[in-house]
Amino acid sequence: MTLAIPAKRYARIAGALYLVIAVFGAFAIGYVPSIIVAAGDPATTVTHLMANQGLFGFGVLADLVVMLTEIVLSVMLFVLFRPTSPTLSMIALVSRLTMVVVMAVNLLIHIMPLALLRGAADPAGITPELLRAVAVLFEVHRYGIYVWDMFFGFHLAAIGYLVLKSGYFPKLLGIAIMIGSLGYFLEGLVKVTFFDSGAVGMAVAGLLVVATISELAFALWLLIRGLNLTAWNEVVNSSASIGPHLATQAELGQ
């Protein structure tokens, strides 16, 4: 079955999906925890959680939107970059989908504190043991983010190289994405191995800034410019492995 969507429009759809992930992810991973989680204070965290159950629910919904969008975007990126390298495109696809699986498991862990607290019929049922359990679950969820960070960093390294070699996206974007990918991978690695230090933390922070800027730039490039259609056609025509995933060359010229 041929996907009769011109390549530029296809790329712009991918750019829009990137922005959806950015907005909903910032809400779920950034804003909601800033309101609910009080670091090192389980009792205050529980108070905030019980008082902001609606906000917590919207955060869970945002997480679901992110994961579903990630699946669609992962496949679209595979299609866009398959003419450049089928193997590396598949590696990027599998690593990002693996990240989504980890995110899904982590979401189950994330909703457990509220499920446990709702099981306590009254405030007297919130025992010190329950508070410790809630604190542990929040901590496990935080480390779950570090785990999917590593898969995402691996994905970004592959995507960055594909952007660099494709010819239909700016090479500078590919270089920046590859450099930034180290931030996600190293952050996850040092956290789950407990090998954290001030110097490493500063390096990771700098790399994550590069990653954020380069990802946003790539998303905006996809959304606004799409891709270099002439270069795309050249790569498609020279690739013996391309399948019927995008529109035909005649359709691309429409």
Side-chain angles (χ1 to χ4, degrees):
M1 178 180 180
T2 300
L3 180 60
I5 300 177
K8 269 197 172 184
R9 191 183 308 166
Y10 195 88
R12 284 170 175 156
I13 293 171
L17 293 177
Y18 260 116
L19 295 183
V20 168
I21 290 171
V23 171
F24 282 85
F27 177 76
I29 300 174
Y31 178 71
V32 174
S34 73
I35 299 299
I36 293 176
V37 179
D41 190 347
T44 301
T45 297
V46 166
T47 300
H48 291 172
L49 180 57
M50 297 303 288
N52 294 278
Q53 295 183 45
L55 177 64
F56 183 82
F58 279 118
V60 171
L61 179 61
D63 270 325
L64 289 171
V65 170
V66 167
M67 285 185 281
L68 294 175
T69 308
E70 288 280 7
I71 293 171
V72 178
L73 179 59
S74 298
V75 175
M76 294 186 76
L77 291 175
F78 169 75
V79 174
L80 282 171
F81 288 109
R82 189 182 176 195
T84 301
S85 172
T87 301
L88 198 56
S89 297
M90 180 62 74
I91 291 172
L93 172 68
V94 173
S95 58
R96 191 158 190 151
L97 290 179
T98 303
M99 177 196 74
V100 175
V101 172
V102 176
M103 291 174 71
V105 174
N106 208 35
L107 182 60
L108 288 175
I109 296 171
H110 188 50
I111 65 177
M112 284 305 298
L114 185 56
L116 289 173
L117 291 169
R118 283 188 166 185
D122 55 75
I126 303 178
T127 62
E129 290 76 16
L130 182 55
L131 284 177
R132 283 194 291 271
V134 167
V136 168
L137 286 169
F138 271 109
E139 189 71 2
V140 171
H141 174 260
R142 185 166 67 90
Y143 277 96
I145 294 175
Y146 297 139
V147 172
W148 65 251
D149 262 356
M150 290 185 287
F151 288 103
F152 186 57
F154 190 60
H155 161 84
L156 280 184
I159 287 294
Y161 186 81
L162 287 166
V163 170
L164 176 63
K165 293 298 183 180
S166 68
Y168 40 89
F169 294 114
K171 293 183 182 295
L172 183 60
L173 276 179
I175 295 171
I177 291 171
M178 282 193 294
I179 294 172
S181 70
L182 293 172
Y184 285 103
F185 189 82
L186 287 177
E187 180 185 45
L189 185 63
V190 299
K191 293 297 185 180
V192 300
T193 59
F194 301 97
F195 183 72
D196 204 359
S197 69
V200 173
M202 290 178 62
V204 167
L207 289 168
L208 287 176
V209 170
V210 175
T212 301
I213 294 173
S214 61
E215 284 182 85
L216 181 59
F218 183 47
L220 292 175
W221 186 278
L222 285 168
L223 184 64
I224 298 169
R225 298 292 297 273
L227 47 71
N228 185 321
L229 193 55
T230 301
W232 163 265
N233 283 332
E234 290 175 356
V235 174
V236 169
N237 290 335
S238 65
S239 174
S241 60
I242 187 66
H245 296 284
L246 282 176
T248 63
Q249 188 172 359
E251 289 170 324
L252 293 177
Q254 293 177 358

